[in-house]
Amino acid sequence: MTTVTQGGSAAEAHAGAGREAKILKEHIVEIVSDSGEGAQKCGQTFGTVSAKMGNGVWTVEIIPAEIQPPARSPAGASGIRIRFASHPVTNMGDEADLVVAFNEQVLYSRIANGAYRKGTLVLLEDKWREDPVPEIREQYAKAVAEFRANGLIVHELPIEQACLGITENPRRGKNMFVLGMLCALYSRDLERAKDEIAIAFKRKGAEVIGLNHRLFEAGHAFAAEQLDFRYAVPSQPEEALAGKRFIVTNGNQAVALGVMASGMELVSMYPITPATSASHYLAEIYHQVGGFVHQAEDEIAAIGFAIGASFAGKTACTITSGPGLALKTEMLALAVMAEVPLVLVDVQRGGPSTGLPTKVEQGDLLAVLYGEPGDAPKVVIAAATIEECLHFVIMARRLADAFRTPVVLLTDANLATGVQPYPRPEPSLDWLAPPVDQSDWSEEVPPYDWDPRTGLSPRPIPGMPGGQYILTGLAHTAQSKVAYDSDSNQLSSEMRSRKLAALASTLKPPSVHGGEDGDLLLVGWGSTLGAIDEAVDRARAEGLAVSSLHLRFLSPLEPGLKEIFGRFRRVMTVEINYSDDPKAPLITDDTRRYAQLAMLLRSQTLVDVDCWSVVYGHPLQPGMIHGVIRERLAAIRNGGDA
């Protein structure tokens, strides 16, 4: 986490060589390399510097699926995208404006993903032009010719050669050299950048920090000498920043901060991409607030440990991703049946099975809702922003305690690795878990003293005099006695379900972005919020009658949805999980499989909710959604339906 007081303008950094900088409202930059060349650290630092200078920022990491993919291969592309602007930024945007590439092959995968457009500037390492291997020289020459023929503006630059004057191993220093180049090209604050370099390498010692500072300075001078263009992206307006303090984190760091701010004292997890960095961050600082990170031997042990800790009196947390969720399913059902509070954070990735470990997907919704045998009602919420990753952990802990139930918080790889500035939270004592109650428990009160209206019951804590009871995952009575009779099972099932209705009665209808009625309503959840809203804003600027609605509560659903849906001619979810294309072979109204939120909404509201979803493995882009809006509205106008 970086704490910042935002402010300043691009003018506070000199652009180099006295060239006048072109003022821009926003730009999108990518840095792409082979795995292990530090492109992500370069981009993260550039994004943090830009946030400290008052820009809106959003980053997206480009991570290969393999730990050590082949060098100089499209499949091995590793890097980062940074979108920064003079206004708040909520998503990755569309095509990049500038890309720095450490070799030409990694660009092919990005081109295949539609990451660039005609006119995108490519700053390309040129050492491959003189490579001793003829095949590599031919690949390089062919690629450069193709890029230029397709409209990319390629600048071939001797980046590694320039680094050799400072370090014998440019592979481990080129990223800071490129950071210097970008700071020169975009008029970034030199001292802020050097401060961030010192923070990034603080554990390496003064010698390593000094080397990286020299590489950074050399890259800054190199850009001034080699390139004849400069840009400046001014900070956000002063009125938007005045008096505010911001922090810059990714979503996993925000989850970790939320864990600490909530008063939970234990996180138990097993390493799994893309959730692991949350435990890394907690392991560094959790002990400062009395917290403990337990790395279990497997996913089942991790949730078992957390449930045991929660049973002892203070709600605990476990963090995982899709495959880990699958392994935790039986224990999650135990927490439901035994009514033990628990917070489970699921950082979703591509599936099924091992799937796409480093790519984004929203594929776990139905698994979370219905993955256990029998009826296992639980609270499910989804964070839509990095800031919400922090605050929703706090909310999850409070809900788990209040409703004596597991709460699942869904995030995803887009939020987990993305970096964004947001207002520094002001901690409140209300966020913290209360002290463990050790007062006497009346022996007249059973362990499950269900309120017939709400399903809620007070919870005896181990150590309470008179509060001893047997915890079981078997069907049980209010006295926690194993019972197989019909009435006991029916009653306990009703009470566990009634809690969701009680929670739903406290929720407010979701707000609509755009007009309150119209031709088309888009419904989303999770990290698609920014891209959907930006696409809707573009369409509304064209006079199209489209709006959007974003859900945070998925179990129970927020109220009033059927009434809201009724104000629009068509309703359509936008998701990052699989659904059948209705025009595909053999797909009919009877055989079509819908996206996951669409399935849920169709069953809950009985409204004919349509869907549009893809599983490309990368975050949704506003331009893509904007195109879909136009197509659907054209279909509605032409045929009365989509």
Side-chain angles (χ1 to χ4, degrees):
M1 179 193 75
T2 301
T3 303
V4 302
T5 301
Q6 289 188 310
S9 68
E12 70 184 287
H14 93 126
R19 297 184 180 92
E20 185 176 349
K22 180 180 180 181
I23 304 298
L24 303 169
K25 290 184 178 180
E26 71 167 65
H27 238 217
I28 300 174
V29 175
E30 286 195 356
I31 309 158
V32 194
S33 69
D34 285 336
S35 183
E37 291 189 295
Q40 288 156 10
K41 184 179 289 290
C42 173
Q44 289 161 353
T45 307
F46 183 77
T48 300
V49 171
S50 297
K52 286 193 170 187
M53 291 180 65
N55 293 122
V57 174
W58 187 275
T59 71
V60 175
E61 291 187 358
I62 303 161
I63 309 174
E66 299 178 25
I67 296 175
Q68 289 185 318
R72 287 182 47 79
S73 68
S78 177
I80 191 168
R81 167 178 285 218
I82 312 101
R83 184 184 183 192
F84 61 113
S86 299
H87 54 79
V89 179
T90 61
N91 63 86
M92 68 183 288
D94 295 315
E95 296 88 355
D97 299 292
L98 182 145
V99 55
V100 182
F102 290 11
N103 70 70
E104 80 289 350
Q105 293 300 308
V106 294
L107 291 173
Y108 280 113
S109 68
R110 302 300 300 144
I111 292 170
N113 283 333
Y116 312 134
R117 55 171 171 77
K118 289 184 178 180
T120 295
L121 294 169
V122 179
L123 309 185
L124 179 62
E125 168 63 68
D126 74 353
K127 75 169 190 172
W128 313 104
R129 183 171 52 196
E130 305 297 333
D131 195 270
V133 179
E135 183 182 359
I136 291 179
R137 296 198 301 270
E138 292 172 7
Q139 289 175 345
Y140 178 84
K142 179 183 177 183
V144 171
E146 287 181 3
F147 298 158
R148 286 174 172 154
N150 290 324
L152 300 181
I153 301 172
V154 181
H155 295 263
E156 300 175 75
L157 299 170
I159 297 172
E160 184 160 313
Q161 184 63 37
C163 292
L164 284 170
I166 302 165
T167 177
E168 295 180 354
N169 186 3
R171 181 178 171 83
R172 300 191 64 181
K174 196 188 302 186
N175 59 341
M176 291 298 105
F177 186 92
V178 169
L179 176 63
M181 291 173 57
L182 292 173
C183 285
L185 294 176
Y186 287 99
S187 311
R188 303 289 87 182
D189 186 323
L190 287 159
E191 292 308 312
R192 290 182 195 250
K194 291 174 77 172
D195 288 345
E196 289 303 314
I197 292 170
I199 292 170
F201 294 100
K202 63 183 178 182
R203 292 188 174 183
K204 302 289 186 179
E207 184 176 346
V208 172
I209 292 172
L211 172 61
N212 282 282
H213 278 167
R214 292 194 298 276
L215 285 161
F216 170 81
E217 291 164 351
H220 195 278
F222 178 86
E225 296 166 0
Q226 296 283 337
L227 300 167
D228 62 357
F229 52 87
R230 296 291 178 275
Y231 303 117
V233 180
S235 65
Q236 300 178 64
E238 286 297 324
E239 57 269 21
L241 303 175
K244 294 182 180 179
R245 300 178 68 200
F246 290 75
I247 60 174
V248 184
T249 76
N250 63 35
N252 278 353
Q253 290 172 324
V255 165
L257 291 171
V259 166
M260 292 187 290
S262 74
M264 288 189 286
E265 296 177 353
L266 182 136
V267 168
S268 178
M269 67 181 293
Y270 182 78
I272 185 170
T273 303
T276 305
S277 65
S279 65
H280 291 171
Y281 186 67
L282 280 168
E284 292 181 357
I285 59 175
Y286 203 9
H287 62 279
Q288 297 176 17
V289 295
F292 178 74
V293 177
H294 172 65
Q295 180 170 316
E297 62 265 34
D298 57 39
E299 295 280 2
I300 300 171
I303 189 172
F305 197 95
I307 292 172
S310 293
F311 173 67
K314 264 205 164 181
T315 297
C317 177
T318 186
I319 306 173
T320 190
S321 189
L325 174 70
L327 292 167
K328 294 180 188 294
T329 298
E330 184 176 2
M331 295 297 282
L332 183 58
L334 170 63
V336 172
M337 175 65 94
E339 300 189 44
V340 176
L342 176 72
V343 174
L344 190 157
V345 181
D346 175 17
V347 186
Q348 299 168 96
R349 71 190 211 188
S353 186
T354 311
L356 300 169
T358 62
K359 308 298 183 183
V360 65
E361 193 172 305
Q362 296 177 312
D364 296 352
L365 175 57
L366 295 183
V368 166
L369 291 172
Y370 307 122
E372 300 80 21
D375 185 53
K378 66 193 78 67
V379 177
V380 180
I381 55 179
T385 67
I386 292 171
E387 182 179 11
E388 286 183 0
C389 289
L390 187 158
H391 290 286
F392 278 27
V393 174
I394 299 167
M395 178 170 64
R397 198 278 307 158
R398 296 179 71 178
L399 289 172
D401 279 341
F403 289 85
R404 197 175 173 183
T405 189
V407 178
V408 180
L409 169 58
L410 295 171
T411 75
D412 61 40
N414 185 27
L415 295 172
T417 62
V419 170
Q420 184 185 39
Y422 54 91
R424 180 185 178 89
E426 295 297 333
S428 168
L429 290 176
D430 292 339
W431 294 358
L432 297 175
V436 176
D437 185 0
Q438 291 292 277
S439 60
D440 289 355
W441 181 270
S442 172
E443 295 185 7
E444 302 299 319
V445 179
Y448 299 97
D449 189 25
W450 294 302
D451 182 321
R453 183 171 181 274
T454 65
L456 300 178
S457 61
R459 180 164 73 108
I461 303 297
M464 278 183 164
Q468 300 90 339
Y469 71 103
I470 302 298
L471 186 80
T472 178
L474 292 167
H476 55 262
T477 65
Q479 287 73 31
S480 196
K481 302 297 184 183
V482 175
Y484 299 126
D485 64 284
S486 302
D487 290 344
S488 293
N489 191 56
Q490 181 68 28
L491 175 62
S492 61
S493 296
E494 288 175 357
M495 293 300 96
R496 290 190 294 271
S497 181
R498 194 74 46 82
K499 289 190 284 189
L500 292 187
L503 174 56
S505 70
T506 70
L507 302 180
K508 296 179 180 179
S511 60
V512 175
H513 178 79
E516 291 296 320
D517 54 33
D519 292 331
L520 179 63
L521 176 69
L522 305 187
V523 183
W525 64 283
S527 68
T528 58
L529 171 66
I532 292 174
D533 283 356
E534 186 171 330
V536 166
D537 290 342
R538 293 183 191 179
R540 291 184 65 81
E542 298 170 346
L544 301 178
V546 60
S547 301
S548 60
L549 177 153
H550 217 76
L551 296 176
R552 270 75 172 186
F553 275 83
L554 299 167
S555 175
L557 285 167
E558 292 151 58
L561 294 179
K562 191 168 185 176
E563 189 275 329
I564 294 171
F565 293 174
R567 302 199 298 262
F568 293 84
R569 292 179 66 184
R570 292 293 292 167
V571 179
M572 177 180 74
T573 66
V574 174
E575 306 180 56
I576 314 177
N577 53 60
Y578 181 76
S579 65
D580 286 331
D581 182 344
K583 298 177 183 178
L586 301 180
I587 302 302
T588 67
D589 289 343
D590 294 331
T591 61
R592 184 184 177 194
R593 297 173 61 230
Y594 286 78
Q596 295 188 21
L597 178 61
M599 289 188 197
L600 180 63
L601 295 177
R602 289 170 69 89
S603 67
Q604 291 287 100
T605 67
L606 300 183
V607 172
D608 185 16
V609 176
D610 200 356
C611 65
W612 177 84
S613 68
V614 291
V615 284
Y616 292 145
H618 60 72
L620 296 184
Q621 295 171 280
M624 182 185 300
I625 301 171
H626 183 211
V628 172
I629 291 171
R630 285 177 160 182
E631 290 175 4
R632 294 300 171 101
L633 288 175
I636 292 171
R637 288 193 298 269
N638 293 334
D641 203 342

